[in-house]
């Protein structure tokens, strides 16, 4: 066994099958080997402890770009588990539009390993009105955020993501 320290996690196959459909078996194997030893490495540990810790970066990012939303979600004790499948599968399990999934995968391959957390935070900010409309109720907000709407305007979300990343760099976030 080449990498005995890496462990399968639920959702790994979502990432692999997306690449398999796009580039075929040989290239997918190479891509997954690189991702497994880099971008997805902490997800492949025996426990999800480091992955859970990493998801807390969502709140650190949120506090820099929308403190009101950060405080609201913190007061509601929403946590980050709504984002676990997004992070583990690079949104491959949560988005219903194939074109959106492959566009994100292209983006994630070309960006630093934490970019899925930036996208996650940007998506939360994009849905801020819906979040506030739920009231300060953990279960309602968690349920809302656990589902990405099929009618999500992804082009608008991308523009929001670009602005979000610009804001983060302007703020000079140190995580």
């Amino acid at each position: 066994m080449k990498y005995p320290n890496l462990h399968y996690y639920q959702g790994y196959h979502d990432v692999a099958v997306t690449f398999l459909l796009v580039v075929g078996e040989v290239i997918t194997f190479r891509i997954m080997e690189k991702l497994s030893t880099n971008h997805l490495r902490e997800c492949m540990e025996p426990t999800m402890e480091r992955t859970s810790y990493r998801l807390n970066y969502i709140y650190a990012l949120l506090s820099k770009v929308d403190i009101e939303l950060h405080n609201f979600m913190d007061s509601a004790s929403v946590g980050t588990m709504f984002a676990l499948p997004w992070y583990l599968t690079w949104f491959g399990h949560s988005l219903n539009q194939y074109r959106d999934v492959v566009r994100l995968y292209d983006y994630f391959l070309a960006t630093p390993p934490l970019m899925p957390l930036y996208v996650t935070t940007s998506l939360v900010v994009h849905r801020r009105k819906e979040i506030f409309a739920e009231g300060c109720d953990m279960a309602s907000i968690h349920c809302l955020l656990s589902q990405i709407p099929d009618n999500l305007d992804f082009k608008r979300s991308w523009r929001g993501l670009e602005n979000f990343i610009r804001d983060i760099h302007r703020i000079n976030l140190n995580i």
Side-chain angles (χ1 to χ4, degrees), residues 49-81:
E49 187 176 332
R50 287 185 68 202
T51 301
S52 294
Y53 175 80
R54 183 75 70 197
L55 287 173
N56 288 316
Y57 282 30
I58 295 166
Y59 278 88
L61 293 166
L62 197 55
S63 73
K64 299 297 183 185
V65 294
D66 194 332
I67 192 66
E68 183 183 13
L69 181 57
H70 169 274
N71 292 342
F72 184 78
M73 289 181 57
D74 191 49
S75 293
S77 301
V78 175
T80 59
M81 285 301 110

Side-chain angles (χ1 to χ4, degrees), residues 4-172:
N5 57 326
L6 300 179
H7 304 273
Y8 175 83
Y9 64 86
Q10 189 66 34
Y12 183 79
H13 67 281
D14 288 298
V15 178
V17 75
T18 300
F19 286 113
L20 188 60
L21 291 170
V22 175
V23 298
E25 188 175 336
V26 173
I27 296 173
T28 294
F29 183 79
R30 289 186 197 139
I31 290 171
M32 292 308 296
E33 182 177 26
K34 285 287 188 194
L35 290 178
S36 299
T37 56
N38 291 297
H39 288 68
L40 302 175
R41 184 179 184 86
E42 69 187 16
C43 300
M44 301 190 76
E45 292 184 356
T47 71
M48 284 285 156
E49 187 176 332
R50 287 185 68 202
T51 301
S52 294
Y53 175 80
R54 183 75 70 197
L55 287 173
N56 288 316
Y57 282 30
I58 295 166
Y59 278 88
L61 293 166
L62 197 55
S63 73
K64 299 297 183 185
V65 294
D66 194 332
I67 192 66
E68 183 183 13
L69 181 57
H70 169 274
N71 292 342
F72 184 78
M73 289 181 57
D74 191 49
S75 293
S77 301
V78 175
T80 59
M81 285 301 110
F82 68 88
L84 183 63
W86 301 353
Y87 186 59
L88 293 177
T89 69
W90 282 7
F91 292 84
H93 186 75
S94 303
L95 290 173
N96 292 323
Q97 299 296 323
Y98 178 73
R99 70 179 183 274
D100 295 337
V101 173
V102 295
R103 184 174 182 188
L104 270 179
Y105 277 42
D106 282 346
Y107 187 65
F108 292 154
L109 285 173
T111 57
L114 293 180
M115 192 53 66
L117 296 175
Y118 283 73
V119 172
T120 295
T121 307
S122 178
L123 184 56
V124 170
V125 170
H126 179 77
R127 298 187 70 195
R128 85 183 304 275
K129 287 181 185 175
E130 295 171 76
I131 293 168
F132 282 115
E134 291 296 324
C136 196
D137 179 66
M138 183 275 292
S140 298
I141 297 170
H142 176 85
C143 185
L144 172 80
L145 290 174
S146 293
Q147 302 297 316
I148 298 175
D150 285 338
N151 64 349
L152 176 71
D153 183 351
F154 218 76
K155 286 183 182 179
R156 185 170 162 231
S157 294
W158 275 103
R159 283 191 299 277
L161 174 63
E162 291 167 357
N163 293 334
F164 173 77
I165 291 171
R166 232 175 299 147
D167 289 346
I168 289 295
H169 288 293
R170 183 180 47 77
I171 293 167
N172 193 18

